[in-house]
């Protein structure tokens, strides 16, 4: 009887130890979150950017549009965006902005951005030099020029709301207003390094739209690290 009690207590103690060890293992996993969310062990790395409008900039300029990094369910700074090298990346850009502007502030002047492409309306540097326009971010909107899932290699003029441009990577992704754009990216180890990203659609303040957000790290410009 006594031996049975001891055995029972020993068994309970072992169960408690096993549960604690399990919990410790789980907590280890939680305290080491993946730096970048992955959709699976061998699937592409998912990186999501969100463009919102009416973000308070300061009392002089007022509201400005803003690029955010959506990570682990919250909006983070885009001052530095990291792209892993040698991995397939699915970059999703969700744009809530319904405004449009001519890239580089030149009305009707369909010129390049110095990144090698003929035009900022062209998709460049993605896999296949295309993006997929998934849908319209405006609820009940009928203004979208693109039906869901349209694969686009070049956008018509006027339709651009922002761009995500990394001249050093020859990457240019035009973002039409109120849209979700999906791009497949892949960078080799020879492309590892630090680059500048910039929205090249003058969406900021000032006479030509190149001030405010356009000239502020983490708003419409910042760094891209390929590593
Ligand atoms: Cu912009």
């Amino acid at each position: 009887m006594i031996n049975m009690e001891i055995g029972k207590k020993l068994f309970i103690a072992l169960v408690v130890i096993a549960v604690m060890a399990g919990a410790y293992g789980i907590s280890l996993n939680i305290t080491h979150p993946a730096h970048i969310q992955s959709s699976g062990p061998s699937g592409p790395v998912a990186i999501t950017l969100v463009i919102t409008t009416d973000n308070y900039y300061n009392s002089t300029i007022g509201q400005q549009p803003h690029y955010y990094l959506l990570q682990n369910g919250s909006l983070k700074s885009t001052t530095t965006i990291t792209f892993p090298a040698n991995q397939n990346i699915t970059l999703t850009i969700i744009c809530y902005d319904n405004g449009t502007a001519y890239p580089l502030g030149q009305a009707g002047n369909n010129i390049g951005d110095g990144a090698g492409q003929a035009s900022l309306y062209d998709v460049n540097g993605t896999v296949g030099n295309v993006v997929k326009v998934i849908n319209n971010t405006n609820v009940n909107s009928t203004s979208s020029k693109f039906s869901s899932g349209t694969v686009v290699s070049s956008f018509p003029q006027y339709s651009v709301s922002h761009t995500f441009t990394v001249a050093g990577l020859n990457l240019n992704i035009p973002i039409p207003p109120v849209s979700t754009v999906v791009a497949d990216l892949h960078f080799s180890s020879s492309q590892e390094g630090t680059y500048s990203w910039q929205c090249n659609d003058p969406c900021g303040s000032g006479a030509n739209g190149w001030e405010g957000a356009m000239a502020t790290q983490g708003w419409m410009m910042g760094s891209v690290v390929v590593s």
Side-chain angles (χ1 to χ4, degrees), residues 65 67 161-163 199-201 203 214 220:
Y67 260 102
S161 187
H162 299 271
T163 75
C199 169
N200 269 332
D201 215 41
C203 60
M214 288 294 281
M220 284 289 146

Side-chain angles (χ1 to χ4, degrees), residues 161-197:
S161 187
H162 299 271
T163 75
F164 183 74
T165 307
V166 186
L169 292 169
N170 196 24
L171 176 68
N172 186 59
I173 301 174
I175 316 293
V178 286
S179 65
T180 300
V181 170
V182 180
D184 293 326
L185 304 177
H186 192 98
F187 302 108
S188 66
S189 46
S190 67
Q191 293 174 293
E192 287 182 3
T194 302
Y195 305 86
S196 295
W197 73 266

